[in-house]
Amino acid sequence: MIGRASKAAALLSGLATLTLAVIISFDVLMRYFFNRPQLLVDEVAPFLLLLVIFGAAAQTFRVGGHVRVDLVTSHLRPAARAGLRAVNLAIGIVFLAVVIWVTTQSALTAFRYGRVSAVLLYPLWVPMLLIPAGLLLMVLCMAGTLRRQLIAALGPRAGRDEVPPSLEVG
């Protein structure tokens, strides 16, 4: 279920990237050739960018597409790498939980005060929820990886190493 949700969010992220390219190109065309800037683009593009970033975060983590620096870990024993990965995943989950809490509170504040966008007047809390929603999906993926990593780190000596990316559907 988490795998399907992360794939769907990544697909939406890809569609948002395509939409950004089209609407920004349209805005440039209208602004410089017809002297008719499109306010819609200035208002919608930042929130589509949020979808691009936070919508694809979980799937990027699941497929192992995140940036890593292996200068230190490549020289460690497999068992030490497994333990270090488990600790790093736990720290990452705690950090993301704090960010999720803060951004959710910000979106709830925007909802309570009825904040709307300047031009189109849509409620700002809707796009603001993209940040905690995308990060929550990433935390769920990280928690699954942490569970698998702990099983590997505490299991038989031969299997103690970093677990590969989780590509299963469920």
Side-chain angles (χ1 to χ4, degrees):
M1 165 111 165
I2 295 170
R4 287 187 186 133
S6 69
K7 284 182 183 180
L11 177 63
L12 287 175
S13 176
L15 292 173
T17 303
L18 178 62
T19 303
L20 274 169
V22 169
I23 67 173
I24 290 173
S25 298
F26 176 69
D27 182 42
V28 168
L29 177 74
M30 294 302 289
R31 181 181 308 254
Y32 293 107
F33 291 109
F34 300 108
N35 199 24
R36 293 270 197 214
Q38 303 298 302
L39 296 177
L40 166 91
V41 175
D42 293 335
E43 186 129 329
V44 173
F47 294 112
L48 285 174
L49 191 57
L50 286 175
L51 180 59
V52 168
I53 294 167
F54 294 102
Q59 185 66 8
T60 301
F61 176 80
R62 285 185 72 243
V63 299
H66 55 281
V67 176
R68 303 176 38 137
V69 179
D70 291 333
L71 295 174
V72 175
T73 60
S74 62
H75 301 294
L76 294 176
R77 293 186 333 260
R81 272 196 311 265
L84 184 61
R85 175 97 190 275
V87 168
N88 286 337
L89 284 168
I91 290 171
I93 289 170
V94 169
F95 173 76
L96 288 178
V98 170
V99 175
I100 289 168
W101 173 259
V102 170
T103 55
T104 301
Q105 293 305 311
S106 180
L108 289 174
T109 300
F111 175 75
R112 274 189 231 112
Y113 288 120
R115 290 184 54 206
V116 294
S117 69
V119 176
L120 298 177
L121 302 177
Y122 59 83
L124 286 177
W125 63 270
V126 175
M128 289 174 79
L129 281 178
L130 292 174
I131 297 170
L135 292 179
L136 178 63
L137 189 55
M138 185 169 177
V139 163
L140 293 174
C141 291
M142 289 175 73
T145 303
L146 177 59
R147 181 185 57 79
R148 291 182 20 240
Q149 186 63 59
L150 286 173
I151 290 170
L154 301 173
R157 183 178 292 273
R160 292 183 188 168
D161 203 349
E162 291 182 272
V163 295
S166 171
L167 298 176
E168 72 271 359
V169 176

